Every structure is written in structure tokens, then in C-alpha cells.
Amino acid sequence: MAAGLGLRLGLWTRIPAPFGATLRADPGGVCARRAAEQQSVRTACSAASESRHDEKYCLELVRSRDYEGFVASLLLPEEARRSSLALRALNVELAQVKDSVSQKTIGLMRMQFWKTAIEEMYRDEPPKQPVSAELWREKDLEDRAYRNLQELEAYSENTQSTLMYLLLQCLGVKDVHADHAASHIGKAQGIVTCLRATPYHSGRRKVYLPMDICMLHGASQEDFIRGSREQNVRDVVYDIASQAHVHLQHARSFSHSVPAAATAAFLPTVVLEDYLQRVRKVDFDVFHPSLQSRNPLLPIWLYLRSWKKTY
């Protein structure tokens, strides 16, 4: 009778138990709800902990491998700062692929990992990896120099400029003039990065500078590998640096039309201008020791440019 009443009213039930014991049911499922709430809290805490870990990982990676980008990210509005660090962390991870593998096949496997990771992210199934952000490009894993300056510019557009476009999206900026400026700044940054990395690459017997300019001035890859500071090597650097300067000037020609909110994404121009001025002062000797040290005034200059909202 009681068991039948229990089935009808939903207040009592008989469940199998040792020795035939009869237990009282959970009225209204209170215990079940509490257990679910506790599990939800534990899950939320775990997710928050993982989120903080991922954020710290990206921050430390960018700070150690892209210091200028790290400082520039700190000067962004708070709502865009974390996205910027994640994007730059991804950029660092991809940039390290070529230098961290000895075989092209392994490098391609690592690139495929990132492609798959991004695809899974858009399916709301991100992998357990701290750096998961937008992937928009493929990195050339061939160990060869760029055939010409246009090839280097195209590569820079597909890498550095794309990063600029994503930063503009993080800032909520949708403006054609800002996009044009971002394109030129990205190309300038790619060219300058190629120059800055020349001593490092030369030490590993690799040269990536445009072959057409090297041939124009009679500079061989062996000249760069030996760290030559002859005039023909300086002339190569001069031509390449001049093209970066041209892109920087083009980007600044849009400054009166670019929204003020976009200038935060363009802070790397401070770093580009600093390097171009320093390499000019040493007569375009890309191997000069002074170019291997970081300018201690850069954080201050970045802050002032951020405060003025100019680039």
C-alpha cells in the first residue's frame, strides 16, 4: 500500500538495498540539485584555473620571445589586451617552428597541429594547449632566401599584416584606412624582422634576404654567413631597410583618417622606427654589436606614443 502510494505521489519509493532496507526518497530532488550545483562550482573553478594558466602561459611566452609586442599589448585597452597576447603567442609558436625542427616533415606536422587546433576551437572543442587563437596563415618551411623583395613583402602581408588585422578586430575597429595602414605596417615589420634576424640566421649558416638585391650588389650568401661588413653587404641592407621605411611612411600618410582607437594596434611602429634609425647610425652594418641589444627607452617611447594616440 505504502509503496503504491509512493509511486503515485512521488514522495516515497522503494529501492533495492541490502537486507531489504527501505530508504526515504529525496523530496523534490534537493540533494540531487545540491550535488549538481557543487559539481558545477567545481567545474567552474577548474575552468577558471585553466584559464588563468593559459593566460599566464601566453603572457610569459610573448614577454620572453616578443618583448616589444609584449609591451605594446600592455598598452592596449583592457578588453583587447588578452586577445592581443593570445594572438602574439600564436605568432611566436608558429615562428619557432622553422628553427625548432631539423626536418621539414616534422615542421609540417606541427603546422597541421595548429590548423587542427583552430578548426576544433571553432567547433567549441579546443585542444588542451595554452595557445589557441585565430590561425590565418601557412608558414613557408623551406630553408631558402626570398627570391625578391616582392616575395618578402607578400610573406609579410600574410603574416605580420594579418596579425594587425586581427588586432584591429580585437579593438572593434572596422575602417578601410586603418586596414591600409595595417597592411603597410605589417610589411614594414616583416622586412625589419628579416633584417634583425640576419645575424642570428647567419650564425646558423642560413640567409633569407632577397636574392635579387644581393645579386644586384654582388653580395653572396657566404658574405652574410661570414658576417662581412663590407660596403656591398651594407648596400643590400640599405635597400631593404629603405623599403621598410617607405612602407612606414605610407602607413603614416593615413594617420589623419585612421580612427583613434586603431592607433593602439599600430604601436609596433615605434619599434620599427627605432631599429631603422639605429641601423642608419651604424651605416647599415647589420652585424654591428649595438643592434643586438635592446633599447631600454622603448617602453617609455611606447607609452608616450600610446598616450598621444599617434603612430
Side-chain angles (χ1 to χ4, degrees):
M1 177 73 176
L5 180 64
L7 289 173
R8 287 195 297 273
L9 299 182
L11 297 176
W12 302 84
T13 184
R14 186 183 295 266
I15 61 174
F19 311 110
T22 301
L23 302 178
R24 185 170 180 174
D26 178 14
V30 174
C31 292
R33 286 203 304 273
R34 287 179 178 173
E37 289 171 358
Q38 291 174 352
Q39 180 62 34
S40 177
V41 170
R42 285 194 292 269
T43 301
C45 290
S46 177
S49 177
E50 290 180 2
S51 177
R52 287 193 297 270
H53 171 267
D54 294 347
E55 181 180 11
K56 183 178 179 180
Y57 178 90
C58 292
L59 185 148
E60 293 296 338
L61 180 63
V62 177
R63 176 159 53 187
S64 63
R65 296 295 185 138
D66 180 15
Y67 182 75
E68 291 90 351
F70 167 74
V71 175
S73 293
L74 294 183
L75 295 172
L76 291 175
E78 185 176 357
E79 61 272 14
R81 196 175 302 148
R82 186 169 180 176
S83 297
S84 173
L85 287 170
L87 288 170
R88 291 189 179 279
L90 174 63
N91 197 51
V92 170
E93 290 279 11
L94 297 179
Q96 290 182 144
V97 171
K98 180 185 289 187
D99 291 332
S100 62
V101 299
S102 57
Q103 298 180 10
K104 179 181 176 181
T105 303
I106 299 176
L108 291 173
M109 290 172 61
R110 291 193 180 182
M111 293 303 298
Q112 184 59 47
F113 164 80
W114 286 110
K115 291 181 184 179
T116 303
I118 299 306
E119 291 171 357
E120 291 176 346
M121 183 191 71
Y122 280 105
R123 291 198 300 265
D124 293 327
E125 301 173 354
K128 294 292 184 180
Q129 212 286 340
V131 181
S132 57
E134 290 81 353
L135 175 60
W136 205 294
R137 62 182 167 100
E138 289 188 26
K139 186 173 176 64
D140 183 9
L141 293 173
E142 297 286 351
D143 279 332
R144 62 172 179 79
Y146 297 100
R147 286 179 295 230
N148 48 52
L149 191 55
Q150 290 72 32
E151 189 173 88
L152 172 56
E153 289 176 319
Y155 174 78
S156 301
E157 169 69 26
N158 292 331
T159 54
Q160 301 296 338
S161 296
T162 296
L163 180 59
M164 290 284 174
Y165 301 146
L166 290 172
L167 289 176
L168 288 175
Q169 289 185 26
C170 292
L171 293 167
V173 176
K174 296 181 179 179
D175 181 83
V176 64
H177 300 295
D179 288 343
H180 285 317
S183 175
H184 286 292
I185 293 172
K187 289 175 182 176
Q189 188 162 12
I191 294 171
V192 168
T193 298
C194 187
L195 285 175
R196 291 179 66 179
T198 295
Y200 169 77
H201 288 142
S202 297
R204 304 184 65 181
R205 300 191 63 80
K206 297 178 181 178
V207 180
Y208 298 108
L209 298 174
M211 291 187 291
D212 62 337
I213 297 181
C214 292
M215 293 173 63
L216 177 65
H217 297 289
S220 66
Q221 289 195 352
E222 189 61 31
D223 289 333
F224 286 95
I225 291 173
R226 289 189 293 103
S228 172
R229 303 165 82 169
E230 297 297 325
Q231 188 60 47
N232 61 338
V233 171
R234 295 171 187 251
D235 289 341
V236 170
V237 176
Y238 170 81
D239 283 359
I240 298 173
S242 295
Q243 189 64 13
H245 178 74
V246 167
H247 282 297
L248 200 54
Q249 294 303 106
H250 278 320
R252 286 174 171 162
S253 69
F254 297 100
S255 60
H256 297 297
S257 305
V258 169
T263 58
F266 299 157
L267 287 175
T269 56
V270 177
V271 180
L272 304 181
E273 186 177 29
D274 172 66
Y275 180 81
L276 292 175
Q277 289 180 352
R278 292 167 70 191
V279 75
R280 179 176 57 82
K281 288 180 180 178
V282 297
D283 194 23
F284 302 96
D285 176 11
V286 75
F287 295 104
H288 197 280
S290 66
L291 297 178
Q292 310 309 312
S293 59
R294 182 181 297 155
N295 187 342
L297 297 177
L298 269 181
I300 298 175
W301 293 348
L302 284 165
Y303 175 78
L304 290 176
R305 197 68 64 87
S306 173
W307 178 66
K308 292 179 180 179
K309 295 187 182 302
T310 59
Y311 66 94

